[in-house]
Amino acid sequence: TTVTTATCKKGRIIEFTADVTGTGIYNGAVIWSVTGAQESGTYMNGGTLKVASNETATTLTVTATSIADPEVSGTCTVTVTS
């Protein structure tokens, strides 16, 4: 199942995983990023999103981008709640 939406409370963390498939020998690693954050305390550490307790954004976008092929990525929209 592919999850494209999630909810996270301010001051909490949420874990993400990504599955990259290919044929033959391939690199299944991804680079994680978050956009839409208004506070520096909201960040990605690997597949873990930390939402700052003072985050003012109501929506964040988490992206997993394939290292082997940067044109391939997946996103999840995260709704931030109090």
Side-chain angles (χ1 to χ4, degrees), residues 21-35:
T21 59
T23 58
I25 298 172
Y26 68 94
N27 183 347
V30 297
I31 297 172
W32 292 97
S33 61
V34 60
T35 55

Side-chain angles (χ1 to χ4, degrees), residues 46-70:
T48 302
L49 171 65
K50 167 68 167 99
V51 178
S53 59
N54 62 337
E55 182 58 65
T56 57
T58 56
T59 304
L60 305 171
T61 301
V62 172
T63 303
T65 303
S66 169
I67 290 175
D69 184 355

Side-chain angles (χ1 to χ4, degrees), residues 2-79:
T2 301
V3 178
T4 57
T5 61
T7 301
C8 188
K9 290 185 176 186
K10 294 178 183 181
R12 301 283 178 94
I13 63 169
I14 186 170
E15 300 277 339
F16 293 89
T17 60
D19 293 318
V20 178
T21 59
T23 58
I25 298 172
Y26 68 94
N27 183 347
V30 297
I31 297 172
W32 292 97
S33 61
V34 60
T35 55
Q38 301 297 311
E39 301 298 329
S40 61
T42 297
Y43 60 90
M44 292 296 298
N45 182 6
T48 302
L49 171 65
K50 167 68 167 99
V51 178
S53 59
N54 62 337
E55 182 58 65
T56 57
T58 56
T59 304
L60 305 171
T61 301
V62 172
T63 303
T65 303
S66 169
I67 290 175
D69 184 355
E71 297 297 316
V72 176
S73 63
T75 62
C76 181
T77 301
V78 179
T79 300

